[in-house]
Amino acid sequence: MTSQTGRHFLQIPGPTNTPLPVLAAIAKPTIDHRGPEFGKLGREVLAGIRTIFQTTNPVIIYPASGTGAWEAALVNTLSPGDRVLMFETGWFATLWEKMATKLGLKPEFIHGDWRTGVDASAIEARLAEDKSHAIKAVCVVHNETSTGVTSHIAAVRSAIDRAGHPALLLVDTISSLGSIDYRHDEWGADVTVGGSQKGLMLPPGLSFNAVSDKALAASKKAKLPRSFWDWEDMLPHNEKGYFPYTPGTNLLQGLKVALDMLHAEGLDNVFRRHDRAAEATRRAVRHWGFEIQCRNEDEYSSSLTAVRLPDGHSADQLRADILARCNMSLGNGLGPLADRVFRIGHLGDFHQLMVTGTLSGVEMGLRACGIPHRSGGVEVALSYLAGNAGPMQVAAVA
Ligand SMILES: Cc1ncc(COP(=O)(O)O)c(C=O)c1O
């Protein structure tokens, strides 16, 4: 039954499939990171990445996974014992909160149900109570990868403003950047954390901090110890396209090509492609008769869908069967959702056939595992996608 033929379908919610031109750029010989060719590359990627965050301010690039950029956001802006307000959207919000504690901060965690996004009114109420402005930052995850819930960051910004509170706004966009509309400047984020391995279509290994002027000012006074993560060391080097230590040279070569691809497609088209894939997936899931982990339609994630299986059925067994049968990886349930949900990644480098292929693999697995469902979910997704083929294709057919 095990199938290792054909291409592996990597449909976890990141790391995502890396396009061949990006892989080819990464495979090029490593260049001198202090030489002139690198300076040009550095300037290009440091400028190009700003449009993805929708900012005109600097974006810092670390040779690290997303967890590093989480730490960088905290240690550059905060001091030991500072209070930070965080919201429990799921597994990743929880990990960030644990990190804040380990770093000597005092997080206040507003508890959530792992099925809905950040409650901006709860943030507003807590900040309004904090008359002495003891809370120094609000930290939220834009797209909670464990649940497939996307929070409204503009609403969080408005909540902070309505409370008249000076706290910084720190946002994790690791699984939304380059997949779901996110506007660092317009939404008034102070630090936006990103990673390379999801919407940017790169392997893991680069991560980002987009920084506001207010965050830069805060970093001058912040007292948490930092060295590797220090923005102050980075920024003067970055101005000339260089880095204070050895950067991830080959990943940056790949980043240049990935940025060119995203710019060529156009960010709005990238977001629409993700929206369509997500809607097709949800239609299939509903047809099968399963619940989507995200409860609110206006918080559905366009980069992944977490699917709840009925009680008594193992999501891990289903994923194992699909891997063996179809050579396809799906995301596992994390923390309390382990074995209860599986996650379908529809982000990064994909087209419609990959979405419907993924759904076919799921439907086949459901049948094989004897999990009761209504068959025909793939057909429903096909109909939706065919009807949303876009004006170019429709005109060509007419
Ligand atoms: C929303 C979110 N935040 C943080 C992380 C941690 O990033 P990394 O695993 O790259 O360190 C992830 C990883 O998937 C994530 O999805």
Side-chain angles (χ1 to χ4, degrees):
M1 187 177 81
T2 301
S3 164
Q4 293 303 328
T5 56
R7 280 197 76 159
H8 181 67
F9 263 54
L10 183 64
Q11 298 306 138
I12 59 175
T16 60
N17 297 290
T18 309
L20 286 176
V22 175
L23 283 175
I26 292 170
K28 280 195 197 160
T30 303
I31 59 174
D32 171 10
H33 62 289
R34 304 203 198 280
E37 193 184 347
F38 184 88
K40 182 169 175 294
L41 172 70
R43 286 190 296 278
E44 283 170 349
V45 293
L46 286 160
I49 192 70
R50 294 184 188 201
T51 53
I52 309 298
F53 283 91
Q54 303 196 47
T55 182
T56 53
N57 260 36
V59 177
I60 285 151
I61 307 180
Y62 294 108
S65 84
T67 303
W70 261 351
E71 180 160 338
L74 298 175
V75 297
N76 276 285
T77 54
L78 298 163
S79 299
D82 276 354
R83 285 192 180 278
V84 291
L85 187 59
M86 304 179 106
F87 197 99
E88 184 197 8
T89 43
W91 179 251
F92 290 101
T94 303
L95 288 183
W96 204 10
E97 189 259 351
K98 288 203 171 107
M99 173 188 276
T101 305
K102 282 190 199 164
L103 290 172
L105 296 166
K106 292 208 174 74
E108 280 185 34
F109 211 24
I110 302 180
H111 290 289
D113 60 3
W114 290 46
R115 299 199 70 175
T116 50
V118 176
D119 177 356
S121 61
I123 301 263
E124 183 177 346
R126 179 62 193 98
L127 292 180
E129 275 172 22
D130 180 35
K131 303 282 183 227
S132 66
H133 297 165
I135 295 170
K136 299 300 177 201
V138 173
C139 305
V140 290
V141 176
H142 180 216
N143 187 68
E144 178 52 74
T145 323
S146 60
T147 61
V149 175
T150 306
S151 290
H152 297 290
I153 300 304
V156 176
R157 172 77 265 161
S158 303
I160 299 172
D161 294 345
R162 271 198 305 273
H165 200 287
L168 296 164
L169 175 57
L170 275 45
V171 187
D172 170 342
T173 64
I174 287 176
S175 60
S176 53
L177 189 73
S179 312
I180 300 171
D181 194 12
Y182 177 79
R183 306 173 188 195
H184 175 86
D185 286 359
E186 191 182 319
W187 294 348
D190 292 302
V191 188
T192 300
V193 174
S196 57
Q197 73 271 28
K198 309 217 184 213
L200 289 181
M201 310 178 292
L202 289 163
L206 295 180
S207 55
F208 309 91
N209 276 179
V211 295
S212 72
D213 292 341
K214 188 172 160 188
L216 286 171
S219 74
K220 307 277 181 236
K221 296 188 189 142
K223 299 227 161 21
L224 276 175
R226 57 188 184 270
S227 169
F228 183 80
W229 307 116
D230 204 342
W231 297 341
E232 198 160 47
D233 294 340
M234 274 282 190
L235 289 168
H237 287 85
N238 283 179
E239 271 170 28
K240 300 189 183 73
Y242 295 97
F243 290 77
Y245 41 73
T246 312
T249 312
N250 291 53
L251 285 175
L252 294 173
Q253 292 172 176
L255 177 59
K256 168 75 177 71
V257 174
L259 292 174
D260 288 348
M261 289 175 73
L262 289 170
H263 290 147
E265 186 177 356
L267 268 190
D268 285 345
N269 294 327
V270 171
F271 300 148
R272 265 200 297 275
R273 177 165 55 82
H274 284 76
D275 291 343
R276 281 206 296 271
E279 178 60 25
T281 302
R282 288 190 297 267
R283 286 181 186 219
V285 171
R286 280 197 210 99
H287 183 90
W288 289 327
F290 301 137
E291 242 186 289
I292 293 165
Q293 177 68 14
C294 176
R295 271 197 222 275
N296 298 332
E297 284 186 20
D298 69 334
E299 293 179 327
Y300 280 152
S301 167
S302 285
S303 57
L304 78 134
T305 302
V307 183
R308 291 170 71 87
L309 278 191
D311 287 348
H313 294 281
S314 161
D316 287 348
Q317 248 169 38
L318 173 68
R319 289 187 314 103
D321 180 273
I322 292 170
L323 177 61
R325 188 179 297 277
C326 304
N327 197 7
M328 175 163 81
S329 297
L330 296 166
N332 62 325
L334 294 166
L337 301 181
D339 208 27
R340 298 296 317 277
V341 310
F342 66 94
R343 295 172 299 147
I344 303 174
H346 31 72
L347 75 163
D349 182 46
F350 66 84
H351 54 50
Q352 295 184 354
L353 197 51
M354 292 165 78
V355 177
T356 53
T358 300
L359 297 173
S360 299
V362 174
E363 194 157 331
M364 226 185 297
L366 292 169
R367 273 185 213 188
C369 291
I371 299 175
H373 66 285
R374 179 152 62 120
S375 68
V378 175
E379 180 60 36
V380 169
L382 289 179
S383 302
Y384 169 75
L385 289 170
N388 279 266
M392 294 283 285
Q393 285 97 322
V394 172
V397 172

